[in-house]
């Protein structure tokens, strides 16, 4: 049985505000994605596009606060523009995955306006309302990810409502069958238009403990790096163990029902879940019979030390823990954490590319990864991210700066003032500048994506770690009837020789590609992919 497209392909996330502006307002739009479609399919060579929210929104959280799930915000275009974009991407062989915000809406969504209008409104229990505690304060000690209590007092109706993020993002009550049906209708609306699947935002949050007990104090022991806040101080939010405000077991039957809906379409559509949980809890989102998420998003490489031992141990642990038949996935640079260029540093930036793309499983690139964009220092007066404003140090602005397409003011992204400043060295990092340099990181990504597509062992083969000197990660990818591939990454500080032979198909150095070697010698910070002779 052959593999599905989402198993062999590479996903590319687009944050629409920062990709391409076509009307000069400094904010990217859907027409801009279509304008750059040939770059995605031809120049770069990815297989699917995940588009972050473009729904109508007051933009308190830049689209993750939705007022209408079945329309397009005028900032980005309209439904006709979306239909043209979908058709244009499909014509180029690109799949389209939409970002679906399932846990909460905007407080200006008509559903919530009705809900807060009266305790007797039919939509009152579409959201989570509770009476005050005996002392008049919030119902429990739950905290919001974006700072402060997770409960907001509503003077008019005399109750608190729950918000896991901003006060203007009230949580839906998915225990109400009417909410589930309304959201499933949203899913049907976009599937009927032809989208290829969804990435579900903060998917583990949608079911809370029905009794709403206090969360216990956070344990200070080690974490495997999957839980939200496990690898950085998120202020007061990190002081609690978030045992009861998310990831209730009742979430799994819900996602099995959603999966059945996706599977009812021909061809079946994909479900990707944003899951920030420790390993055992994260694995549960595949489903006992692989009947929940095709790909519970795996953030562990983002938070793992960039060393051979740490990364090799992580990959071994994931490979050993996956349920039979489950498909792995990897990402190095989500849109809410430091860019990989910043975390890996300039010496290992190219090595990071060769780390991600040859691994077994589905890789996700974030727009800007392909250019090696580093974290931007955003001046206080230019900061717009509500998380960073509410909790200093948590801002996401620096990893959401616009794509530089060409040197010059606006970087080819806009003819106006960009909504965020372009990042450092934007001219040198621009697509136009890098396309003319055969040794640029963009051309390295293009070579890797091409090799991954051409070699069955890289997009479909098994994974086996090899013995290697300290500081070196080496592994084999092998598929029946195809040339095997060996990947060698030197995270150390001196050259190392590894017992691996073959033709150097792609190298961070680029100058040694095509060389046939019997013993690979890799310099510090260098990585190579060797293809066996056949």
């Amino acid at each position: 049985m052959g593999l599905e497209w989402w198993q062999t392909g590479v996903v590319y996330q687009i944050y629409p505000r920062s990709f391409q502006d076509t009307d000069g307002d400094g904010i990217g739009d859907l027409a801009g994605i279509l304008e750059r479609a040939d770059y995605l399919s031809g120049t770069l060579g990815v297989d699917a596009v995940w588009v972050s929210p473009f729904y109508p929104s007051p933009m308190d959280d830049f689209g993750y606060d939705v007022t209408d799930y079945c329309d397009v915000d005028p900032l980005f275009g309209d439904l006709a523009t979306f239909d043209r974009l979908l058709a244009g991407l499909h014509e180029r062989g690109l799949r389209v995955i939409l970002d679906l915000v399932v846990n909460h809406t905007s407080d200006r969504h008509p559903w919530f306006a009705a809900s807060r209008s009266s305790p007797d409104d039919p939509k009152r229990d579409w959201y989570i309302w509770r009476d005050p505690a005996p002392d008049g304060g919030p119902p429990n000690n739950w905290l919001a990810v974006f700072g402060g209590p997770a409960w907001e007092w509503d003077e008019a109706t005399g109750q608190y409502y729950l918000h896991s993020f901003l006060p203007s993002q009230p949580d839906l009550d998915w225990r109400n069958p009417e909410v589930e049906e309304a959201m499933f209708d949203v899913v049907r609306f976009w599937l009927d238009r032809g989208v290829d699947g969804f990435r579900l935002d903060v998917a583990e949050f949608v079911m809370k403990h029905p009794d709403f007990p206090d969360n216990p104090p956070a344990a200070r022991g080690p974490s495997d790096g999957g839980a939200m806040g496990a690898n950085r101080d998120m202020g007061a939010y990190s002081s609690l163990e978030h045992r009861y405000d998310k990831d209730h077991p009742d979430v799994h039957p819900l996602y099995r029902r959603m999966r059945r809906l996706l599977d009812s379409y021909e061809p079946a559509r994909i479900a990707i879940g944003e899951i920030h949980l420790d390993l055992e809890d994260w694995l549960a989102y595949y489903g006992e019979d692989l009947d929940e998420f095709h790909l519970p998003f795996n953030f562990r490489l983002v938070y793992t030390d960039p060393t051979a031992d740490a990364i090799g141990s992580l990959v071994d642990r994931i490979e050993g823990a996956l349920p039979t038949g489950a498909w792995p996935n990897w990402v190095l640079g989500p849109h809410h954490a430091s860019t990989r260029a910043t975390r890996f540093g300039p010496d290992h930036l190219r090595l990071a590319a060769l780390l991600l793309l040859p691994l077994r499983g589905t890789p996700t690139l974030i727009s800007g990864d392909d250019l090696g964009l580093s974290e931007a220092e955003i001046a206080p007066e230019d900061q717009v991210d509500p998380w960073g404003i509410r909790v200093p140090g948590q801002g996401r602005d620096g990893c959401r700066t616009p794509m530089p397409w060409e040197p010059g003011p606006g970087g080819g992204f806009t003819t106006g003032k960009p909504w965020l400043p372009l990042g450092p060295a934007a001219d040198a990092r621009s697509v136009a500048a890098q396309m003319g340099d055969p040794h640029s990181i963009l051309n390295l990504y293009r070579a890797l994506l091409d090799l991954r597509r051409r070699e069955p062992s890289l997009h479909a083969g098994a994974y086996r770690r090899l013995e290697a000197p300290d500081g070196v990660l080496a592994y084999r990818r092998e598929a029946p009837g195809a040339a095997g591939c060996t990947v060698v990454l030197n995270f150390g500080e001196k050259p190392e020789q590894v017992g691996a032979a073959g033709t150097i198909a792609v190298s961070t150095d680029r100058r040694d590609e095509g060389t046939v070697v019997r013993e690979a010698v890799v310099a510090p910070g260098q990585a190579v992919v060797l293809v066996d002779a056949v």
Side-chain angles (χ1 to χ4, degrees):
M1 182 175 175
L3 296 177
E4 301 288 344
W5 69 264
W6 52 267
Q7 294 173 301
T8 60
V10 176
V11 178
Y12 187 91
Q13 186 206 2
I14 290 177
Y15 195 63
R17 298 180 72 90
S18 294
F19 197 63
Q20 178 65 59
D21 170 30
T22 60
D23 59 11
D25 65 356
I27 296 172
D29 44 50
L30 297 185
I33 300 174
L34 182 56
E35 184 176 294
R36 299 295 185 180
D38 288 338
Y39 171 81
L40 298 167
S41 63
T43 303
L44 192 57
V46 296
D47 303 277
V49 173
W50 150 29
V51 186
S52 289
F54 50 77
Y55 315 105
S57 166
M59 300 296 164
D60 288 355
D61 192 20
F62 300 109
Y64 286 91
D65 49 321
V66 179
T67 59
D68 185 346
Y69 285 103
C70 298
D71 206 348
V72 175
D73 193 285
L75 275 174
F76 303 119
D78 53 25
L79 280 173
T81 311
F82 173 81
D83 289 339
R84 290 193 296 273
L85 171 62
L86 183 66
L89 295 178
H90 280 171
E91 287 169 3
R92 292 164 173 82
L94 292 166
R95 313 284 180 157
V96 179
I97 299 165
L98 298 192
D99 212 328
L100 186 62
V101 186
V102 289
N103 178 70
H104 48 265
T105 69
S106 168
D107 62 354
R108 278 149 282 186
H109 194 293
W111 296 347
F112 188 72
S115 181
R116 79 186 310 177
S117 67
S118 166
D120 301 320
D121 189 89
K123 285 190 169 57
R124 181 68 169 185
D125 58 358
W126 280 42
Y127 295 83
I128 299 172
W129 293 91
R130 288 295 179 273
D131 290 328
D135 65 0
N140 60 26
N141 71 342
W142 294 2
L143 297 174
V145 175
F146 288 171
W151 297 95
E152 186 77 2
W153 176 249
D154 184 64
E155 186 70 35
T157 59
Q159 283 188 312
Y160 284 90
Y161 66 84
L162 181 68
H163 61 91
S164 296
F165 295 87
L166 291 174
S168 59
Q169 293 172 299
D171 285 24
L172 288 162
D173 188 354
W174 277 83
R175 295 186 181 279
N176 184 333
E178 293 180 351
V179 170
E180 179 176 318
E181 187 57 30
M183 290 300 290
F184 279 23
D185 282 344
V186 170
V187 170
R188 293 184 186 97
F189 175 86
W190 293 107
L191 292 179
D192 290 344
R193 293 190 100 82
V195 304
D196 300 287
F198 297 92
R199 176 264 193 188
L200 271 61
D201 182 59
V202 293
E204 78 268 26
F205 276 80
V206 301
M207 284 287 182
K208 290 79 173 171
H209 194 291
D211 297 331
F212 298 90
D214 280 356
N215 278 322
R220 295 301 179 182
S223 166
D224 79 348
M228 182 175 286
N231 296 82
R232 58 175 175 169
D233 184 358
M234 292 175 61
Y237 189 81
S238 296
S239 69
L240 296 179
E241 177 188 340
H242 294 276
R243 182 183 300 176
Y244 300 120
D245 53 0
K246 61 181 179 179
D247 191 38
H248 189 274
D250 291 345
V251 76
H252 297 292
L254 164 64
Y255 286 135
R256 287 195 291 273
R257 294 191 291 273
M258 185 175 288
R259 174 66 177 270
R260 287 196 293 271
L261 171 58
L262 296 174
D263 287 348
S264 71
Y265 280 74
E266 180 61 40
R269 313 300 166 86
I270 185 177
I272 302 172
E274 182 189 12
I275 312 290
H276 295 272
L277 296 169
D278 283 336
L279 183 61
E280 183 177 351
D281 296 324
W282 170 75
L283 288 167
Y285 284 78
Y286 279 102
E288 292 183 2
D289 298 313
L290 301 184
D291 55 357
E292 293 184 39
F293 288 102
H294 299 83
L295 301 174
F297 218 37
N298 178 15
F299 293 98
R300 282 161 179 77
L301 275 179
V302 176
Y303 302 117
T304 298
D305 290 338
T307 67
D309 285 346
I311 292 172
S313 296
L314 169 67
V315 176
D316 289 347
R317 190 162 72 251
I318 296 294
E319 287 283 349
L322 286 172
T324 301
W327 194 252
N329 69 95
W330 302 97
V331 63
L332 271 173
H335 66 274
H336 51 67
S338 298
T339 63
R340 74 175 60 173
T342 300
R343 285 180 288 106
F344 277 79
D347 292 339
H348 286 172
L349 178 56
R350 300 168 72 86
L351 182 146
L354 267 80
L355 167 63
L356 179 69
L357 288 172
L359 281 172
R360 189 177 85 91
T362 304
T364 296
L365 299 176
I366 310 301
S367 55
D369 284 351
D370 39 329
L371 304 182
L373 299 185
S374 58
E375 191 90 356
E377 289 288 338
I378 305 297
E381 62 271 18
D382 292 326
Q383 292 179 11
V384 293
D385 179 30
W387 192 3
I389 293 170
R390 289 170 63 89
V391 185
Q394 302 302 322
R396 300 161 292 180
D397 293 330
C399 60
R400 293 177 169 180
T401 54
M403 280 280 286
W405 296 96
E406 59 192 43
F413 162 72
T414 182
T415 57
K417 180 183 178 181
W419 76 285
L420 279 174
L422 272 67
D427 285 358
R429 290 288 183 190
S430 69
V431 172
Q434 292 202 46
M435 284 295 291
D437 177 4
H439 302 298
S440 69
I441 193 164
L442 172 57
N443 281 314
L444 174 62
Y445 270 101
R446 296 178 66 208
L448 277 168
L449 288 162
D450 179 65
L451 180 67
R452 190 181 190 277
R453 181 177 293 105
R454 287 188 287 109
E455 295 294 340
S457 288
L458 288 181
H459 64 247
Y463 167 91
R464 175 168 56 90
R465 191 174 173 186
L466 302 175
E467 290 188 11
D470 289 345
V472 174
L473 174 62
Y475 60 88
R476 287 281 291 173
R477 299 293 313 281
E478 296 173 326
C485 297
T486 303
V487 183
V488 182
L489 306 104
N490 186 358
F491 290 85
E493 298 180 355
K494 59 184 178 64
E496 297 287 358
Q497 183 170 301
V498 180
T503 301
I504 299 176
V506 175
S507 167
T508 51
D509 184 76
R510 303 306 310 276
R511 294 170 179 82
D512 54 3
E513 291 175 357
T515 304
V516 179
V517 298
R518 293 187 178 183
E519 294 277 341
V521 177
V522 284
Q526 185 184 13
V528 296
V529 181
L530 303 166
V531 178
D532 295 350
V534 292

